[in-house]
Amino acid sequence: MGATPVLIIWAAVSVGQMDVIGDVVLAVLVVSFNTRLFYLATIWHLATTVSVLEEAYGFAAMVKSENLIKGKLGLAIALFFILQLAMRLNHMAFKRLVVEGTDMGMANRVMYAIICFLLLSTGILFQYLVIQTVVYFVCKSCHHENIDKFALSDHLEVYMLGDYAPLKAKDVQLFRV
């Protein structure tokens, strides 16, 4: 996310073509790029929740999430930024303690790797399953949209139970090469 503006600035400075006006223009471009990137990423994350909880998929889910997020845009972007910051800190801790941790023994590095993995998996589950669903319901209530619990329950039952029938031995065909 943040690597592209840094590379642009580094390339401009290394060539030696930067002056005061160029610095200002480049700073405005970097801020504009990052702002729009966070806006689009926030809408994208809410669209994944909309596609699960409603009958909207793809571009329709993006439009629905953009309309939903209008009332709580600052809250959604702030939550997304904080969660991405936590993920980035976990990544930096893993890199410093496990990958570059040459001063400590192998047992300590494995223990830190397990801790970072548990933090990562918990963070992903918390971010994508809990926070996005809460933001979805908060945005829906902000727009005074009806949340039909029975329809939502019926819709999610397909994901939870499904119409799966267990396979029997006669249903499986073995191929011989």
Side-chain angles (χ1 to χ4, degrees):
M1 244 188 235
T4 304
V6 172
L7 289 175
I8 292 171
I9 292 172
W10 177 79
V13 169
S14 67
V15 172
Q17 299 297 323
M18 294 296 291
D19 55 352
V20 176
I21 295 172
D23 290 341
V24 171
V25 169
L26 189 60
V28 167
L29 287 175
V30 167
V31 168
S32 174
F33 174 78
N34 282 331
T35 304
R36 292 173 190 204
L37 181 68
F38 272 109
Y39 176 72
L40 183 63
T42 304
I43 290 174
W44 180 274
H45 282 280
L46 189 60
T48 59
T49 305
V50 167
S51 68
V52 170
L53 297 177
E54 295 184 9
E55 292 293 328
Y57 304 104
F59 189 69
M62 291 282 287
V63 170
K64 174 73 175 178
S65 69
E66 184 178 16
N67 291 335
L68 275 177
I69 211 166
K70 284 184 181 173
K72 298 287 184 179
L73 181 63
L75 173 74
I77 288 178
L79 281 173
F80 177 72
F81 179 75
I82 290 169
L83 292 171
Q84 289 300 318
L85 183 65
M87 292 294 185
R88 185 146 323 218
L89 288 175
N90 187 24
H91 179 263
M92 287 178 13
F94 179 81
K95 184 178 175 185
R96 289 196 182 180
L97 294 173
V98 178
V99 176
E100 298 170 355
T102 56
D103 294 343
M104 58 184 99
M106 183 58 74
N108 288 338
R109 291 171 73 175
V110 169
M111 185 59 73
Y112 284 128
I114 291 170
I115 290 170
C116 288
F117 173 73
L118 291 175
L119 285 173
L120 177 70
S121 59
T122 304
I124 288 172
L125 289 174
F126 187 69
Q127 177 179 358
Y128 293 116
L129 296 180
V130 177
I131 296 285
Q132 287 180 6
T133 307
V134 169
V135 168
Y136 168 78
F137 285 123
V138 166
C139 289
K140 255 185 112 81
S141 68
C142 177
H143 290 283
H144 304 294
E145 290 187 21
N146 187 19
I147 301 171
D148 189 7
K149 294 178 186 175
F150 293 115
L152 186 62
S153 171
D154 290 341
H155 181 71
L156 291 177
E157 186 176 317
V158 174
Y159 290 106
M160 293 171 58
L161 300 176
D163 295 330
Y164 302 114
L167 292 175
K168 306 217 181 334
K170 65 178 180 172
D171 296 331
V172 179
Q173 182 180 8
L174 297 176
F175 292 102
R176 296 193 180 175
V177 180

